[in-house]
Amino acid sequence: MRRKVATGFGIAAVAALALTGCGQVGGGGSAGGGGGNSDKGDGPLTMVTVVKVSGVGWFDRMEVGVNEYAQESGNDARQEGADDASPEKQIQIIQDLIPQAPAAITVVPNSPEALESVLGQARDQGIVVVAHEAAGIKNADVDIEAFDNESYGAQIMDNLGECMSGEGEYVQFVGGLTAKTHMDWVGGAYDKQQAEFPKMKRVEDPVESKEDENVAYQRTKELIAKHPNLKGIQGSAGTDVAGAARAVQEAGLADQVCVMGTSIPSVAKKYLGDGSIDKIFFWDPAMAGKAQLKIAEMLVKGEKVEEGTDLGIKGYDSLKKLEGFDNVFVGDAAVIVDKNNVDEYDF
């Protein structure tokens, strides 16, 4: 029988460990591109947020933030996404947007590497590009992250390790093997496990769910059959833990398998209630959507994003420059939820 332990997220500690350095990006940024097009800042701006996939809870919530930003700012902002998490479809959406000449495109890439070329084309046309979940991407004026990704993954492993009593077999899901933030999370978690929980063992390389709850469900069923002693599952895509929990629930293993990872309350709540999911970790996608657009607006108007910038958005009121990157800034927007506090969140 496992132990279910409520562990604090320690956001301040994570930030102190990982968020250092100083610098600024703006007016085209140190990476060049279309920032600082001041003639676009005289009236309402047209900006489009391109997400990984439409029709899932995570990006439905982000669209709430995009719409709120449009109402609050008076700018013309909208969200677009494909019907699956294909980088090719995301590229096509951006290619179709470029001739429309929006002031800015903000994007949550399925594959930062795959989007580099088309985002470069956008910037060559004077379009500001702001990315999210894409630390290290080159053809963006700014990439904004909710927190340091490897430290976030390590914090998930702290909780998973405690739930598993520090021993046993576990697996990790990612939405896609090219999803950089997901790979950073599982990488940070794996490094933490190796250092702090030597009696735990990852029995598979990261498992790809394609951002699809049903894929995560089917793969979890297969993994339970293949590894009958499985004690832990970490999810990365917002739908991973729900799919895994459904399989764990059907197998009657809620008291034997710890399920944790990134999701939002509306997706995970019913599974948190019966213990099929133990904890979820997230940042509010609505606030992230607003943060991307606010940064884009600043850059279009020739303003700078720098150490300490306050976007006026919860979790993004004192940005830090991520050490080792010229164009990556992070907030302090992480949240941890279990069955005891899930009702505090209405999305």
Side-chain angles (χ1 to χ4, degrees):
M1 184 67 66
R2 61 192 175 145
R3 294 185 297 125
K4 295 189 177 183
V5 183
T7 301
F9 200 88
I11 297 172
V14 171
L17 282 169
L19 309 180
T20 59
C22 61
Q24 62 189 37
V25 175
S30 59
N37 241 344
S38 59
D39 61 335
K40 293 183 179 179
D42 297 332
L45 304 174
T46 298
M47 294 185 278
V48 184
T49 297
V50 181
V51 297
K52 292 181 176 181
V53 60
S54 290
V56 298
W58 186 270
F59 292 114
D60 287 346
R61 176 62 181 174
M62 183 168 285
E63 191 166 20
V64 170
V66 170
N67 292 337
E68 286 181 355
Y69 166 82
Q71 293 172 355
E72 293 165 1
S73 69
N75 290 319
D76 176 12
R78 69 181 191 273
Q79 179 169 301
E80 296 189 11
D83 56 2
D84 63 43
S86 161
E88 292 77 16
K89 290 184 179 180
Q90 206 171 31
I91 289 168
Q92 186 61 57
I93 290 172
I94 296 170
Q95 285 178 331
D96 291 343
L97 287 173
I98 291 172
Q100 301 174 35
I105 293 172
T106 74
V107 61
V108 189
N110 286 305
S111 169
E113 294 80 7
L115 265 61
E116 289 284 15
S117 178
V118 72
L119 294 178
Q121 294 169 30
R123 296 179 79 207
D124 287 344
Q125 295 301 312
I127 299 170
V128 164
V129 174
V130 175
H132 177 56
E133 295 191 51
I137 194 168
K138 295 179 176 61
N139 277 316
D141 294 280
V142 167
D143 174 76
I144 179 67
E145 301 293 324
F147 37 67
D148 175 72
N149 289 312
E150 292 185 4
S151 296
Y152 174 75
Q155 193 65 39
I156 294 174
M157 181 52 66
D158 280 337
N159 285 264
L160 186 63
E162 288 193 45
C163 185
M164 293 174 60
S165 300
E167 60 183 15
E169 299 177 349
Y170 74 97
V171 295
Q172 298 174 307
F173 278 89
V174 293
L177 297 175
T178 59
K180 187 179 187 304
T181 50
H182 293 189
M183 296 302 290
D184 286 345
W185 298 341
V186 298
Y190 182 70
D191 289 344
K192 183 74 168 183
Q193 178 264 303
Q194 294 284 289
E196 301 291 339
F197 302 103
K199 293 184 180 180
M200 290 174 61
K201 180 181 179 182
R202 187 175 74 177
V203 292
E204 300 272 347
D205 289 337
V207 179
E208 195 171 37
S209 69
K210 301 187 183 299
E211 303 269 349
D212 188 317
E213 181 178 327
N214 288 323
V215 173
Y217 165 69
Q218 293 293 342
R219 292 306 309 273
T220 301
K221 289 176 64 175
E222 296 166 5
L223 289 163
I224 289 172
K226 183 177 179 181
H227 303 286
N229 295 319
L230 192 67
K231 289 182 63 177
I233 298 171
Q234 176 188 346
S236 299
T239 50
D240 285 349
V241 291
R246 182 152 53 105
V248 166
Q249 186 184 66
E250 288 180 1
L253 297 174
D255 289 333
Q256 299 175 46
V257 181
C258 298
V259 178
M260 297 184 183
T262 302
S263 191
I264 54 175
S266 61
V267 173
K269 184 174 181 178
K270 64 180 179 180
Y271 298 112
L272 284 165
D274 71 6
S276 301
I277 294 175
D278 295 276
K279 293 180 182 178
I280 58 171
F281 304 76
F282 61 97
W283 63 105
D284 186 345
M287 298 301 103
K290 294 173 79 169
Q292 293 171 71
L293 290 163
K294 179 60 178 178
I295 288 173
E297 177 185 351
M298 292 174 64
L299 296 181
V300 170
K301 293 181 176 180
E303 300 173 14
K304 294 178 179 179
V305 178
E306 56 193 355
E307 189 87 5
T309 290
D310 181 358
L311 298 180
I313 297 167
K314 185 176 180 181
Y316 302 88
D317 53 4
S318 182
L319 300 186
K320 306 289 185 182
K321 188 180 180 194
L322 187 60
E323 186 175 16
F325 298 93
D326 291 332
N327 66 341
V328 182
F329 288 84
V330 298
D332 185 11
V335 181
I336 183 170
V337 163
D338 60 18
K339 66 181 180 180
N340 297 314
N341 66 339
V342 65
D343 288 333
E344 297 176 16
Y345 300 89
D346 61 356
F347 61 89

